[in-house]
Amino acid sequence: MIFCPLYSGSSGNSIFVSSDGAKVLIDAGLPGKSIEKALVDIGQNPTNIDGIFVTHEHTDHTKGVGVLSRKYDIPVYANLSTWNAMSKTVGKIKEHNIKIIDNSYVNIKDMDVISYKISHDAADPSGYSLISKNKKACVATDLGEFSNEVQKILEDADVILLESNHDVQMLKFGPYPYNLKRRILSNIGHLSNEDCGKAVVGITNNKFKKVILGHLSKTNNYPELAYQTVVNVLNDSNVKLDKDLSLYMAKRDMPSNYIEF
Ligand SMILES: [Zn+2]
Ligand SMILES: [Zn+2]
């Protein structure tokens, strides 16, 4: 499989995942043109995308969904509450491209996509596991808390995109209004660097993983701080980088490194 975050952060998210037979996007939260460009940059043709899976209706995950679906005739997958909540943002989608996920499981060619509940302030937010043969990738961003259920799902993954949204001190002393700070810090907000580190410790076991930190806040975080905070938590718990797992950073404005596994 191939896993490549095209864009990751508070300013827009889209992740490319492929198996031998299937190619999908998780979210398309930037203008369609930006996502087209990123796909071309990593050597992919947008016409070959088999589906766009939407995690939740926030515009940093849905902005380009409608444009891409209409232009390239791409099916869009989301649960019913998310469909209802994002209908304005995505605009008119052709009937045959409206795919409502009703029992969390979708099969596309040789890939299974399984959605799971996450805690976030959206209608019915989801994370996704993508499985082909015996390989598994997971997308877990926009999490107010790292629940035991999510931990179980991530424990046997090979590749994980995990949220490292903010530094708690930067958020607390930063420019955001009080209510927004409270929302981000709540259990339906976003995962801090520190909590991300603890989550990584929680999923460390004898299965080696590639963990990509993503969905960083532009205002309340920066890549070096996110990375170092997570590394510090790992060191405190005796988790060994490159022996137990390898750690990567997803880029905000351009495709990150292609991970093959
Ligand atoms: Zn969100
Ligand atoms: Zn988001």
Side-chain angles (χ1 to χ4, degrees), residues 3-261:
F3 189 95
C4 183
L6 303 177
Y7 301 96
S8 184
S10 47
S11 22
N13 298 276
S14 188
I15 300 135
F16 171 83
V17 188
S18 71
S19 57
D20 289 340
K23 295 172 194 278
V24 303
L25 292 178
I26 306 295
D27 292 327
L30 293 97
K33 272 202 161 53
S34 307
I35 293 170
E36 274 172 15
K37 183 186 177 308
L39 282 170
V40 171
D41 284 352
I42 64 163
Q44 297 293 335
N45 187 338
T47 45
N48 296 333
I49 298 295
D50 296 298
I52 302 172
F53 288 80
V54 180
T55 58
H56 64 295
E57 70 272 19
H58 293 161
T59 51
D60 61 319
H61 299 261
T62 53
K63 196 177 277 173
V65 168
V67 172
L68 291 172
S69 175
R70 285 186 288 276
K71 184 162 178 191
Y72 297 105
D73 198 28
I74 304 173
V76 178
Y77 295 83
N79 59 43
L80 183 59
S81 303
T82 302
W83 268 112
N84 290 334
M86 72 178 181
S87 63
K88 255 210 180 106
T89 314
V90 302
K92 192 136 185 65
I93 303 282
K94 285 188 197 114
E95 200 67 38
H96 67 270
N97 284 330
I98 298 178
K99 306 285 187 187
I100 297 168
I101 301 176
D102 49 13
N103 64 355
S104 88
Y105 166 88
V106 175
N107 171 260
I108 298 181
K109 299 174 182 169
D110 63 347
M111 186 191 283
D112 292 329
V113 184
I114 300 163
S115 71
Y116 56 89
K117 301 256 173 231
I118 54 172
S119 177
H120 189 55
D121 59 345
D124 189 6
S126 306
Y128 287 105
S129 297
L130 304 106
I131 300 168
S132 184
K133 308 208 168 88
N134 53 357
K135 301 290 183 188
K136 175 174 176 180
C138 292
V139 175
T141 65
D142 300 74
L143 303 161
E145 62 181 356
F146 192 71
S147 67
N148 291 335
E149 291 74 29
V150 174
Q151 176 172 327
K152 276 208 183 68
I153 289 160
L154 269 48
E155 273 173 351
D156 65 343
D158 299 277
V159 177
I160 297 162
L161 176 66
L162 185 61
E163 174 164 59
S164 195
N165 179 258
H166 57 273
D167 175 77
V168 173
Q169 297 307 313
M170 278 182 79
L171 175 67
K172 280 189 176 159
F173 296 109
Y176 281 8
Y178 176 72
N179 278 343
L180 182 56
K181 289 180 182 179
R182 244 185 39 176
R183 177 181 87 72
I184 293 171
L185 290 166
S186 77
N187 67 351
I188 53 167
H190 291 279
L191 215 58
S192 70
N193 296 336
E194 187 84 23
D195 287 342
C196 175
K198 289 179 190 158
V200 177
V201 171
I203 55 172
T204 300
N205 51 27
N206 50 20
K207 174 150 192 172
F208 185 84
K209 296 181 180 65
K210 296 181 175 187
V211 179
I212 310 161
L213 308 182
H215 207 298
L216 272 65
S217 163
K218 197 171 189 172
T219 308
N220 304 306
N221 209 356
Y222 54 95
E224 295 78 9
L225 178 60
Y227 185 85
Q228 199 52 53
T229 306
V230 171
V231 168
N232 291 347
V233 178
L234 297 184
N235 287 342
D236 287 346
S237 304
N238 244 329
V239 174
K240 301 261 182 298
L241 267 192
D242 300 322
K243 182 173 162 286
D244 297 315
L245 55 96
S246 49
L247 205 55
Y248 305 81
M249 296 301 300
K251 293 178 182 151
R252 172 182 301 280
D253 299 317
M254 63 171 94
S256 306
N257 290 343
Y258 231 71
I259 293 186
E260 276 190 78
F261 60 105

